[in-house]
Amino acid sequence: MTSRSARVSAERPFYDLHADAYDALVTDSPEPWVEAVHARLAAAGCHRARVLDAGCGTGRHARGLLDRGYHVELLDASPRLLGLAARRCPGSPAHEADLCGFGLAPRFDAVTCRGVLNDLVTDAERDAALASFARVLRPGGLLFLDVREAGASRVRADGTQRRRTVTLDEGATLSFVSRPRWRDGRLLVAETYELSTPDGRVSVHDYDFEMRPWTADEVRERATVAGFDVREMLPGVGRSTPDRLFVVAARSQ
Ligand SMILES: C[S@@+](CC[C@H](N)C(=O)[O-])C[C@H]1O[C@@H](n2cnc3c(N)ncnc32)[C@H](O)[C@@H]1O
């Protein structure tokens, strides 16, 4: 059965209709994350590790890991984002699959999952994704997470409207407006996408997106239940806002 978050991946305009605009809207450099992962894999002696990038989006981070000599496989539930990632990382196997239950063999030295697990809002999905990661990792394999941290996310969810306008190929512009509010541990984001094409046509789509940030305790508890030892939990790496956690965990031997 497809999870709720996988269905959202295939319908949220950010991940589907306007997937082509993803890289224009998300401009933070992938380098700090890639370097942080690379440093830890190198320290663990995993020089040509097999890495699964779970929730790879457009493959920005997968590309950086490929460039450092890793064998990277791509996984995402959004066909459009996965297609962009596959184009960016030719030769990398690409799996259109649900994080909450996918059937890959346990062949990976590492799983990376950046900015994804907030999209999983139910306890069942969170546990299922972590259990899937444990299943595909070899004993001692490393898990790298980036998640939204609940306390700081709550402070940022002040109902203020944020707008970003980007110019796309052939002169179209996309204006993305988001207004995040906080309710019962969830981030409720009212999104509006306004696409204007050079011939004067304008199309508008509204979408209500929901996320559930994590507390450090929750990360530790769920990861432990799934069979991981949490080794590091630091402020987000390479993030422009201080509302993320960078987590390194090892699959128990
Ligand atoms: C905010 S994006 C992050 C993409 C990329 N990791 C990055 O940092 O740029 C979240 C990604 O998770 C994917 N995703 C969310 N829920 C998923 C699920 N249940 N199964 C597979 N992919 C999922 C979305 O399609 C999207 O590509």
Side-chain angles (χ1 to χ4, degrees):
M1 202 176 67
T2 309
S3 70
R4 177 189 184 280
S5 54
R7 287 196 299 276
V8 168
S9 293
E11 74 174 29
R12 183 187 179 201
F14 197 54
Y15 297 159
D16 183 56
L17 180 67
H18 296 304
D20 285 343
Y22 187 98
D23 288 343
L25 288 166
V26 180
T27 53
D28 55 326
S29 165
E31 282 302 301
W33 164 267
V34 170
E35 267 307 312
V37 171
H38 174 50
R40 285 156 180 86
L41 287 175
C46 300
H47 295 291
R48 295 187 59 76
R50 282 173 179 272
V51 181
L52 176 68
D53 191 12
C56 60
T58 60
R60 298 180 311 141
H61 305 87
R63 182 67 255 173
L65 292 169
L66 280 172
D67 292 342
R68 285 164 178 78
Y70 298 104
H71 300 282
V72 184
E73 298 194 24
L74 310 163
L75 185 149
D76 206 285
S78 156
R80 289 209 179 175
L81 290 177
L82 186 66
L84 294 169
R87 237 191 286 161
R88 179 174 264 154
C89 306
S92 284
H95 310 281
E96 186 184 318
D98 186 347
L99 288 181
C100 302
F102 55 93
L104 300 181
R107 59 173 172 270
F108 295 98
D109 302 299
V111 171
T112 53
C113 185
R114 182 186 180 276
V116 178
L117 293 184
N118 321 293
D119 293 14
L120 280 53
V121 296
T122 66
D123 290 346
E125 290 196 16
R126 288 151 105 89
D127 287 337
L130 289 168
S132 301
F133 299 158
R135 262 196 309 275
V136 298
L137 279 170
R138 63 163 173 77
L142 294 176
L143 172 65
F144 297 93
L145 301 177
D146 166 286
V147 294
R148 286 177 191 264
E149 193 280 321
S153 296
R154 180 178 190 158
V155 172
R156 288 196 71 222
D158 57 2
T160 305
Q161 187 168 292
R162 298 178 185 132
R163 177 187 292 269
R164 271 186 63 68
T165 302
V166 293
T167 302
L168 307 174
D169 288 347
E170 286 152 22
T173 55
L174 178 70
S175 179
F176 173 52
V177 179
S178 61
R179 195 164 72 84
R181 286 173 300 119
W182 186 264
R183 195 172 68 209
D184 298 336
R186 312 254 170 131
L187 267 175
L188 309 178
V189 190
E191 301 179 336
T192 300
Y193 304 79
E194 188 176 308
L195 182 72
S196 310
T197 51
D199 60 7
R201 277 183 297 171
V202 177
S203 59
V204 179
H205 290 88
D206 293 318
Y207 193 78
D208 291 324
F209 183 54
E210 189 174 333
M211 281 182 279
R212 181 178 163 201
W214 293 67
T215 62
D217 284 348
E218 185 188 0
V219 172
R220 212 174 280 286
E221 280 159 26
R222 291 193 194 281
T224 304
V225 168
F228 290 99
D229 297 324
V230 175
R231 299 250 174 101
E232 292 181 63
M233 206 172 316
L234 307 169
V237 171
R239 291 294 196 172
S240 52
T241 52
D243 56 347
R244 309 286 176 138
L245 291 172
F246 174 67
V247 182
V248 184
R251 209 201 112 180
S252 308
Q253 301 277 351

